Amino acid sequence: MNLEAVSVPEEALPAVLRTPPVLEGPVSPGSLDDQVLAPVERKPPAAWFIAITCTSILMLLGLALMGYTVATGIGVWGNNIPVAWAFDIINFVFWIGIGHAGTLISAILLLFRARWRNSISRFAEAMTIFAVIVAGIFPALHVGRPWLAFWLFPYPNQRAIWPNFRSPLMWDVFAVSTYFSVSLLFWYLGLMPDFASLRDRTKGRIRKFFYAVLAAGWRGSASHWRHFEKAYLIIAGIATGLVLSVHSVVSFDFAVALVPGWHMTIFPPYFVTGAIFAGFAMVVMAMVVVRETMNLKNLITMYHLDVMNKIILTCSCLMAYAYMMEGWTAWYSMNEYIHHTFWEYIAGTYGWAGWLTITCNTIIPQLFWVRRFRRSYPAMLVVAAAVTVGMWFERFVIIVSSLHQDFMPSAWQVYKPTLVDLGILLGSFGLFFTLVLLFARVLPVIATTEMKAVLPGGQPRHGGGSHE
Amino acid sequence: MNESGTRKTLVVGAVAGLAGVIATGFVAGWERFWVNWILWFVFILTIGLGCLFIVALEHVVGARWSVPLRRVPERLSGLVILMVPAALLALIALPILYPWTNAEVLRDPVVGGKAVWLNVPFFVIRVLLCAGLWILAYLLLVRGSIRQDQAGDPRFNVRARRFAPVFMIIFGITITIVAFDWISSLEPAWYSDVFGVYIFAGTFLAGLAATTLAVLYLMARGRLPGVTPDHVYNLGGFLFAFVVFWSYIGFAQYLLMWYANMPEEVFWYKERLQGIWGALVLVLAVVHFFVPFLVLIPREAKSEPKRLVWIASAMLVAHWLDLYWMIYPVLGKGALFSWPELSFGIFFIASSFLWIRHAMTRGADMPVGDPFLREGLEFRI
């Protein structure tokens, strides 16, 4: 076959078909190190100090209120029967979800060999770890006596009591702790070569020691790389399963119950999609800030943001499908209890939250069908903020709206959060962003080793002229 | 066997199958005839739809590695067209197999409440609407691609790229309609909102398996020059991933219903877990999940033709078993498999092969007019 006759040079193709480069401008391995590792070695700018002051204040507010909760008891929250679960579980599900984008980017896109992921994977993975840390606080608080939270773990004990393995809350303990361990391992493994670069570059002795310990004797020898690549792929494979399993188990908390509105078979894939959706929105917001403030525009390009926004659009359509199927099943089941709950979602006490969810998650992101909006900061910030709000309220609707009118009308109650609830929610954002800012200060925000693989000449060309 | 010999065998098979099919109606009863018809028509239709989805997916994500293989799913997606008359014919089965057409059953408040959706005119409209949309997609994506073979006009890629995302939405809705109308409404009281996703998972996996088999067949005959084990590896990887996805959705649906144990939904599983059907579930778990999952784990398994042929064939069989397990129990006569089932199988499979052979006379074996063919051929892991 004469392939020369049919192959069109890239420049001759219509713009929409061309593949943009994954980085812009001349970048060499040396300049890449300088660009990415330099912020770690410099004194941070004033803006960073202002930002971390704000987030720390929020964090301290949250911590103080958590302390107040533990000291007083969870009666300081708005939860009460029938709404036994509220902000605590909403926040837990919300933050666990935020983590999922990181795992998808680092693991699934790695297996798909999507090379554009390389410059955003490190940051997204870091966000995963911080999000899971924040999420883990809430169930611990909700048990009421966090100092006994270790009872959740099954170990032979003198009380001769085992946790209830048939409870999905127990499955959560395993799912989330596995998720955290694997994410941390994956992140640390990817960081090792970068730690070694930092060790070799930094001047300060304390820092050098710190990075040297973390680099764990990495010398960059061929056998190091061989093992590294192998381990990285295997952990990516494990992490891929976790993208599905963690939020599926979280969804089981609801779906195995007999509560109308919770017992839906679509919950597992629907929760996973929502998690990736919210996570990507958070990553896009963070990436916009990072590329603007840390001088990384040539590594995190508009193309990256464009692709991430397409993923947000895809997730939005999938969410619309899930909402549609929920509404459809509510009707098709011909079950009066499900009818009632679904009616409550859109026209009940919290109907406004239902519509806010639908608008933010399925209508506003449709802007991204237009290329111009996928590449405009204001548009992406609006959509990302909408998705963050929408996904938080989605969990609010699922949890509070379904619970506040249960099977016994005499127990029906309108739930109202207290100021403590709101303060802890704000505090969780403060804690998350404080961790993110610290990370941006002490660790390279881009995996330089992975970026070197996509530099020109970074990959051996296979079979380049063998098709004549 | 030479070419004309194969053709003769297929024609003989189709005719003999048809004789058995017709005999089924008169000898074994029309209920059994139509349940087989629905089963086999949905089986072939979902293979075709899975392939159409693969074609559209390539355009949506702008994949290049799969360009040299694209003609294979394009040709296989012609099965959707072949199944349109089969679907129209299957409408005759509505009053025979679908309880919601029975006025007696409609008196039940649960089923009767659904009559707005489950009624014959609206059902027919939905079938026509789906068929129309699939034909439109076929014309735009497949015919356009074959036409590109001559002129090599990159404007086709632009059009396909614009249309494919829209098709994804169409596909999502139509596959859900297929799931709820043809399969789930056989038991009109039952509901499960993940059912559309479950059928999608099986459909995509069946499309992948058929594509993999056809690619390996053509490669063995040297008809896909330049396609390497690296391309095959990606197909193997996709098979692996979607074996897991299908199992995940299937298990999640089962777990949630089993755990909740609510009579209004669990009856569907109860029927399908008793006696021989329960044994079939175990077979499904093994053939549709454990075997392909374990076999495809090693890296080399994903590109080795011998193992892939086995696994892809097993996936098609498993997809059929899955549909059999969902559809056949409505007959209420246990898991029958005898000459009627065999005749239907021979008839549908032989007709499909004849149809595909006909499709293979049109256009080249690879999309030679696609500007990305070269880049696709240069793909290495």
Side-chain angles (χ1 to χ4, degrees):
Chain A
M1 191 177 342
N2 185 2
L3 285 174
E4 289 305 327
V6 294
S7 65
V8 182
E10 188 90 21
E11 312 80 59
L13 288 170
V16 55
L17 296 177
R18 270 178 250 158
T19 331
V22 285
L23 35 82
E24 283 167 3
V27 185
S28 71
S31 77
L32 184 80
D33 276 357
D34 290 339
Q35 199 186 350
V36 176
L37 304 181
V40 180
E41 293 156 11
R42 269 200 310 266
K43 197 171 179 292
W48 185 86
F49 283 107
I50 296 169
I52 200 160
T53 310
C54 298
T55 60
S56 305
I57 290 171
L58 282 182
M59 178 180 77
L60 290 173
L61 169 79
L63 291 178
L65 289 172
M66 285 175 203
Y68 173 62
T69 303
V70 173
T72 322
I74 55 171
V76 297
W77 294 348
N79 308 14
N80 210 335
I81 301 299
V83 187
W85 282 4
F87 267 42
D88 44 344
I89 303 296
I90 300 172
N91 295 343
F92 166 70
V93 179
F94 174 79
W95 283 111
I96 284 280
I98 294 297
H100 277 58
T103 322
L104 182 100
I105 291 170
S106 54
I108 295 190
L109 294 184
L110 176 82
L111 299 180
F112 272 113
R113 293 185 287 269
R115 299 191 323 165
W116 59 269
R117 73 172 266 292
N118 289 14
S119 66
I120 55 168
S121 61
R122 167 72 46 78
F123 208 98
E125 282 168 38
M127 287 170 72
T128 299
I129 289 162
F130 303 147
V132 179
I133 291 174
V134 175
I137 294 173
F138 291 98
L141 280 181
H142 196 199
V143 297
R145 297 175 192 174
W147 55 92
L148 296 179
F150 67 94
W151 285 11
L152 285 166
F153 291 96
Y155 66 98
N157 56 69
Q158 67 190 45
R159 302 182 306 278
I161 296 172
W162 289 92
N164 183 0
F165 288 104
R166 279 174 293 184
S167 160
L169 299 180
M170 193 62 233
W171 309 342
D172 263 351
V173 173
F174 295 110
V176 175
S177 54
T178 312
Y179 187 42
F180 184 71
S181 326
V182 173
S183 301
L184 189 67
L185 194 64
F186 198 42
W187 189 56
Y188 174 63
L189 191 71
L191 269 165
M192 265 162 80
D194 282 355
F195 279 136
S197 303
L198 279 167
R199 170 197 65 201
D200 300 341
R201 288 168 62 101
T202 33
K203 304 281 183 298
R205 284 185 61 182
I206 299 169
R207 275 194 188 188
K208 215 179 184 70
F209 175 75
F210 168 71
Y211 289 127
V213 169
L214 288 171
W218 181 270
R219 286 283 174 271
S221 71
S223 78
H224 283 179
W225 280 112
R226 199 164 55 84
H227 290 122
F228 173 84
E229 292 284 341
K230 211 179 250 178
Y232 206 66
L233 263 186
I234 291 172
I235 300 183
I238 296 172
T240 299
L242 288 173
V243 175
L244 289 183
S245 73
V246 178
H247 231 59
S248 296
V249 171
V250 170
S251 83
F252 289 160
D253 293 348
F254 307 100
V256 298
L258 295 174
V259 177
W262 284 7
H263 179 64
M264 294 273 186
T265 48
I266 205 169
F267 259 36
Y270 155 52
F271 265 53
V272 171
T273 313
I276 293 166
F277 185 43
F280 261 90
M282 197 69 104
V283 173
V284 164
M285 279 196 271
M287 282 304 139
V288 169
V289 177
V290 166
R291 86 188 278 264
E292 281 301 320
T293 57
M294 296 182 80
N295 184 29
L296 296 169
K297 278 189 199 166
N298 59 332
L299 302 179
I300 302 167
T301 65
M302 265 298 164
Y303 168 64
H304 289 92
L305 295 169
D306 189 344
V307 179
M308 285 194 275
N309 290 334
K310 279 183 185 167
I311 294 179
I312 289 180
L313 174 64
T314 309
C315 289
S316 168
C317 292
L318 291 172
M319 294 307 283
Y321 176 84
Y323 293 163
M324 202 179 74
M325 289 317 292
E326 266 197 279
W328 153 261
T329 314
W331 175 77
Y332 189 76
S333 66
M334 289 299 144
N335 177 315
E336 58 181 312
Y337 301 103
I338 306 183
H339 282 189
H340 176 80
T341 302
F342 199 76
W343 199 241
E344 276 299 310
Y345 281 180
I346 53 175
T349 322
Y350 303 104
W352 57 272
W355 285 107
L356 185 69
T357 303
I358 292 171
T359 312
C360 287
N361 291 346
T362 65
I363 298 174
I364 296 175
Q366 303 302 320
L367 278 179
F368 283 160
W369 282 97
V370 182
R371 179 184 155 96
R372 197 155 47 89
F373 290 130
R374 289 198 303 266
R375 289 174 175 253
S376 114
Y377 279 162
M380 36 181 131
L381 290 176
V382 164
V383 172
V387 171
T388 308
V389 171
M391 284 309 298
W392 192 89
F393 273 98
E394 180 202 287
R395 278 73 173 240
F396 179 87
V397 170
I398 292 173
I399 293 165
V400 174
S401 210
S402 304
L403 284 177
H404 85 293
Q405 298 193 344
D406 66 355
F407 290 108
M408 193 164 65
S410 61
W412 288 3
Q413 207 189 51
V414 174
Y415 164 82
K416 277 201 190 74
T418 61
L419 284 174
V420 178
D421 282 314
L422 294 168
I424 292 178
L425 172 63
L426 284 179
S428 71
F429 277 91
L431 172 59
F432 178 75
F433 285 112
T434 306
L435 289 170
V436 169
L437 284 164
L438 285 175
F439 154 72
R441 173 76 193 94
V442 296
L443 296 173
V445 292
I446 289 181
T448 57
T449 44
E450 290 195 356
M451 282 310 284
K452 283 170 192 165
V454 291
L455 290 183
Q459 293 286 330
R461 291 284 292 163
H462 299 278
S466 62
H467 296 296
E468 267 78 40
Chain B
M1 208 183 298
N2 60 25
E3 282 297 291
S4 68
T6 317
R7 190 162 179 276
K8 223 174 272 166
T9 317
L10 286 172
V11 172
V12 170
V15 172
L18 185 62
V21 164
I22 294 168
T24 303
F26 289 104
V27 180
W30 291 102
E31 278 196 356
R32 188 149 173 205
F33 175 92
W34 286 114
V35 86
N36 268 299
W37 187 274
I38 303 280
L39 171 61
W40 283 97
F41 129 74
V42 172
F43 175 63
I44 304 287
L45 175 73
T46 46
I47 294 175
L49 282 175
C51 292
L52 197 55
F53 182 77
I54 294 171
V55 173
L57 188 63
E58 180 192 298
H59 292 297
V60 170
V61 299
R64 304 283 162 84
W65 69 269
S66 58
V67 173
L69 310 178
R70 198 181 69 224
R71 188 52 46 84
V72 175
E74 278 175 358
R75 280 168 168 172
L76 288 171
S77 66
L79 291 173
V80 175
I81 310 296
L82 179 68
M83 284 302 117
V84 167
L88 296 179
L89 217 56
L91 291 173
I92 300 172
L94 293 183
I96 300 167
L97 280 182
Y98 290 81
W100 46 268
T101 51
N102 183 337
E104 202 64 27
V105 177
L106 285 179
R107 242 173 255 149
D108 171 63
V110 171
V111 181
K114 302 182 187 187
V116 186
W117 175 266
L118 294 178
N119 60 72
V120 176
F122 195 23
F123 192 99
V124 175
I125 291 174
R126 289 196 297 273
V127 170
L128 293 175
L129 186 76
C130 290
L133 289 168
W134 296 331
I135 293 172
L136 176 77
Y138 179 80
L139 291 176
L140 280 166
L141 294 175
V142 179
R143 279 296 169 81
S145 168
I146 292 172
R147 229 173 289 134
Q148 196 191 29
D149 280 2
Q150 266 92 46
D153 184 356
R155 271 180 306 177
F156 161 72
N157 298 67
V158 179
R159 269 199 309 275
R161 187 139 195 192
R162 296 242 161 89
F163 173 70
V166 180
F167 174 72
M168 288 295 170
I169 292 172
I170 295 175
F171 182 84
I173 293 169
T174 53
I175 194 78
T176 309
I177 291 178
V178 168
F180 275 89
D181 276 359
W182 288 114
I183 306 173
S184 162
S185 87
L186 285 165
E187 309 253 18
W190 189 64
Y191 62 93
S192 165
D193 47 4
V194 85
F195 196 63
V197 183
Y198 179 70
I199 295 299
F200 158 74
T203 296
F204 186 38
L205 190 57
L208 272 173
T211 301
T212 307
L213 280 176
V215 163
L216 292 172
Y217 172 86
L218 290 174
M219 275 176 81
R221 274 150 196 79
R223 288 176 66 171
L224 296 176
V227 171
T228 64
D230 290 8
H231 293 94
V232 179
Y233 177 84
N234 276 0
L235 288 176
F238 264 107
L239 269 177
F240 180 68
F242 279 85
V243 160
V244 177
F245 184 70
W246 176 88
S247 316
Y248 161 64
I249 299 291
F251 177 72
Q253 177 177 274
Y254 171 70
L255 176 81
L256 293 178
M257 292 207 167
W258 169 79
Y259 203 110
N261 206 15
M262 279 157 53
E264 55 262 49
E265 54 178 28
V266 87
F267 75 92
W268 193 84
Y269 275 108
K270 213 178 152 205
E271 245 172 61
R272 285 162 181 77
L273 284 169
Q274 272 163 357
I276 187 84
W277 298 114
L280 194 61
V281 170
L282 293 180
V283 174
L284 260 182
V286 171
V287 181
H288 215 319
F289 176 63
F290 285 107
V291 168
F293 178 75
L294 293 174
V295 170
L296 287 176
I297 283 181
R299 202 182 164 86
E300 61 276 12
K302 296 188 189 77
S303 55
E304 200 204 53
K306 219 183 239 167
R307 264 184 268 185
L308 274 185
V309 166
W310 275 107
I311 292 300
S313 313
M315 284 307 93
L316 287 177
V317 172
H319 180 55
W320 184 87
L321 276 177
D322 185 22
L323 293 171
Y324 179 69
W325 173 75
M326 285 188 282
I327 294 173
Y328 219 85
V330 295
L331 201 57
K333 289 182 184 159
L336 300 177
F337 192 91
S338 167
W339 63 269
E341 285 67 32
L342 216 58
S343 311
F344 269 87
I346 294 170
F347 172 63
F348 270 87
I349 290 173
S351 318
S352 302
F353 269 103
L354 282 170
W355 183 259
I356 295 302
R357 278 170 60 85
H358 173 66
M360 285 177 74
T361 58
R362 268 191 251 139
D365 286 345
M366 284 197 223
V368 287
D370 194 301
F372 300 111
L373 179 60
R374 191 188 164 84
E375 197 183 327
L377 285 170
E378 279 168 8
F379 165 78
R380 296 296 179 274
I381 293 169

